Each structure stands twice: as C-alpha cells, then as structure tokens.
Amino acid sequence: MNPNLATEFLSALASDASVFPHQYALAPDQLLLARIAVSTLREASFLDERILTRETQGVWVRADDAAAAAAALPAPRASYIFHSGHCGSTLMSRLLGAAGDALALREPLPLRAFAFDRAEGGGAMLTIEKAKQRLALLEKLWARGASSVVVKATSICTGLAAELLPAEPRALYISQKPDIHLAVLLAGPNAANDLRGFAQMRWRRLNVQVPLPPLSGLSTGELAALNWLAETEAAARASLPVIDFDRLLTSPEETLVAAASVLGVAAPGEKISAAVASPIMKKYSKAPEHDYDAQLRRDIIAEAQRNHASDINKGMDWLARLGAQHKTVKAVLDRWA
C-alpha cells in the first residue's frame, strides 16, 4: 500500500466520483480505489481490468477506512439489471443511461467477488450481514454525483438478488427463451471455453436448489442449458420482473418505459423516443464500434441453429428431463414457454 496515495484517495472519496472502487478483495477485506474519469465510467462496456491503463492510479485500502471516509454520504437505493448473458442487458443499460437521469454502470468487478463467495454456501468467507454492509458501501460510492444509479451485473451475479438486495429490490432480469439462448451462446467461436469458465460456480449454485448430474458429464449444449437455467432459476427465486430480449427489440419504447418504471429511473417519454431512435439500437453494445441490429441477430441465431442443432437439442432435452423431475425447473420452463 502506498500510504500517501491511500490518504489522498480516502480524503477525496466522499466528493470525487472519479476515485472509483474497482475491485474488492475478500480475504483482506480491502478495496482497490482507482482514479477513472466519470465520462469513462459512463461509456465503458465493462468495468473490469479492461478499463485500466498504464497511467491509471490505484491503491488498495482497508474497506473499513473507505467506509469511514464515505460515512457522510447518503445511502442511495441502487437499481440492478441481472441477466443470463448475451441477451441485451448492455443494450438496456445504455438505453436507460441515454433516456434517464441515472448513472448506468456496467459489470463492476466487486459484484463478482460477492457472487463467487455466496456460491460457496457454508464455505463463504463473508457473512450475509458483512456482504450487505460492503454492498451498501459500494452503492454509496457508485452513486456519488448522480441522482440515481443503475448497475448492470455480470451474468453470474443473479443469485445475489435474493440474498443481498432488499425484499422488494429495484431490479429486473433480462434473458431470452432457452432455445434461442442456447443458439446465441453456441454461436461464439470460443463457446465451449466460455461456457466452462463459470460452469463450476453455476453448477454449485443450482445444485443447492435442484440435484444435478455431475458437471463432468455435461455436453457443450448442456453447459449452455446450465447457464440459462442457473441464472433464470435465481431470478425466479428472487421474484424479479422478467424482460425478454426479443420484446426489447420488437417494442423498444414500451419495454424501456416498463424497465425505467421498475428501476425507478426518471425517463421522460421524449428522451426514451430519442434513445430508441439513436445509433445505440444499431450498434453492438459491448463494442459500439461494430454495427449490430435485430436482423443481424436473427441471422446469427439461424446459422447457429443449423450448425449446432445437435448440441442445442441435447441442451433442450437436458432441461426437459430436469423439468420432468423437479417442480422448480418446470416452473421456470413454464414461465418461458
């Protein structure tokens, strides 16, 4: 720890929103504070390592010291977008940021630390109370200088909705029908590796709710089905309002109005119309330098359905078998029928 930089950052923490809580380390209970321009925070697709540069100043501080420095800040009611991955959540976040008064942040890293810890069940390092305290601190810091804040979580974080958020959270869940989701996931060139990346964590989480067959025996299509089911079951358990990505594409204004209402975002009708008519709807939200629209998405899905039909069928059959065995899974599937 650089004591001089730590003192400087902690002194500025309550008033300078560019001193950003980039990471949270569970074992030492520390925050990595990094100086990142607010304009960069607003535009970034991911608030992970990719946002850091060689010029970024940063220092680890004790979370208790950060909490003391932020003690006078108001406690906001943050809003959350949870999702199953590759289903329009970044698009929703950008549209809300353009149409409303909220600061839209995408995939801050500390939420991943909480998600991995809570997935350990009785082996979690943080108690529920401590995790809630640390999340409340982060919400204070995220909301500095903004009338409200909407946080788009990483796709592995949906389980946090039921465990760490209030009983009636300002949160929604965005996904897509399972057969469509499997096609989208399998369309990627590194699909198998991507699916394996978080498979163990998702298996552990879901296995608490529904006894699952061994992870080692799952095919690529079944791993994609596990992805969809783990996040969608968690959203159902938290009673989150659900938005289908296809609805966002076919009825963007109506869907955006509904999302803003759920999340408590002040978004006048004229700004919603302007956001929907803007280039945001025609760009790939995770990489806005690339064009992307509903027709291109349909083409990608159709190609994946042709090229990966066997894996998609295996994944859908896996879901059907679980649905026949467990009421919990059947209820989730029925909701998306």
Side-chain angles (χ1 to χ4, degrees):
M1 179 187 294
N2 181 329
N4 293 331
L5 190 59
T7 300
E8 176 189 336
F9 275 25
L10 288 170
S11 298
L13 195 61
S15 58
D16 186 354
S18 70
V19 180
F20 185 72
H22 183 260
Q23 294 183 45
Y24 174 64
L26 291 164
D29 192 27
Q30 292 183 344
L31 282 174
L32 174 61
L33 301 179
R35 189 177 293 282
I36 303 169
V38 175
S39 58
T40 302
L41 297 174
R42 286 183 178 274
E43 291 301 318
S45 298
F46 304 96
L47 293 171
D48 57 14
E49 295 88 348
R50 284 167 282 191
I51 201 172
L52 303 179
T53 70
R54 291 184 178 181
E55 289 71 40
T56 303
Q57 283 187 307
V59 63
W60 286 96
V61 301
R62 296 194 323 141
D64 283 338
D65 291 340
L73 289 173
R77 187 174 181 188
S79 303
Y80 290 88
I81 298 172
F82 296 101
H83 61 104
S84 57
H86 301 283
C87 59
S89 57
T90 305
L91 174 60
M92 175 68 79
S93 173
R94 289 193 182 279
L95 288 170
L96 286 169
D101 62 352
L103 171 63
L105 300 177
R106 287 170 281 278
E107 304 202 13
L109 271 178
L111 285 181
R112 293 196 204 177
F114 295 138
F116 273 104
D117 195 42
R118 297 315 310 161
E120 294 300 322
M125 191 169 294
L126 300 182
T127 64
I128 284 283
E129 292 73 20
K130 176 63 75 173
K132 288 181 176 180
Q133 288 176 12
R134 291 306 180 229
L135 181 58
L137 169 60
L138 289 164
E139 289 179 345
K140 277 186 173 185
L141 299 179
W142 289 332
R144 287 167 300 169
S147 58
S148 59
V149 60
V150 176
V151 179
K152 192 209 99 162
T154 306
S155 65
I156 57 171
C157 296
T158 315
L160 300 178
E163 295 196 32
L164 300 189
L165 299 190
E168 296 182 0
R170 285 182 175 175
L172 57 79
Y173 177 70
I174 184 167
S175 188
Q176 49 207 344
K177 292 181 179 180
D179 58 323
I180 298 298
H181 192 64
L182 268 59
V184 170
L185 293 181
L186 295 171
N190 298 309
N193 289 337
D194 290 344
L195 289 168
R196 292 187 184 103
F198 294 130
Q200 287 182 308
M201 180 229 196
R202 286 192 168 108
W203 188 95
R204 286 197 302 272
R205 280 174 40 210
L206 186 57
N207 191 57
V208 172
Q209 309 299 326
V210 180
L212 296 174
L215 179 63
S216 59
L218 298 189
S219 67
T220 301
E222 290 165 341
L223 289 175
L226 170 66
N227 172 305
W228 182 87
L229 183 59
E231 304 310 324
T232 307
E233 185 280 330
R237 189 158 25 92
S239 299
L240 298 182
V242 172
I243 290 178
D244 189 328
F245 184 21
D246 283 297
R247 182 185 169 206
L248 175 60
L249 294 176
T250 57
S251 304
E253 289 197 39
E254 176 188 342
T255 307
L256 200 56
V257 167
S261 176
V262 168
L263 299 177
V265 175
E270 61 272 15
K271 290 193 70 175
I272 286 179
S273 297
V276 168
S278 75
I280 294 174
M281 289 291 294
K282 297 179 180 179
K283 298 292 183 180
Y284 183 45
S285 292
K286 292 180 179 178
E289 65 273 16
H290 298 295
D291 293 334
Y292 190 89
D293 59 15
Q295 183 57 55
L296 178 56
R297 177 174 178 267
R298 285 192 291 270
D299 293 343
I300 291 172
I301 290 171
E303 183 178 6
Q305 289 171 331
R306 291 191 300 270
N307 294 341
H308 303 284
S310 176
D311 275 324
I312 292 172
N313 289 335
K314 288 179 182 178
M316 294 302 295
D317 288 345
W318 185 81
L319 290 173
R321 288 196 301 273
L322 284 179
Q325 296 167 8
H326 305 288
K327 292 181 180 179
T328 298
V329 177
K330 184 179 185 304
V332 170
L333 292 171
D334 287 348
R335 193 177 187 185
W336 285 86

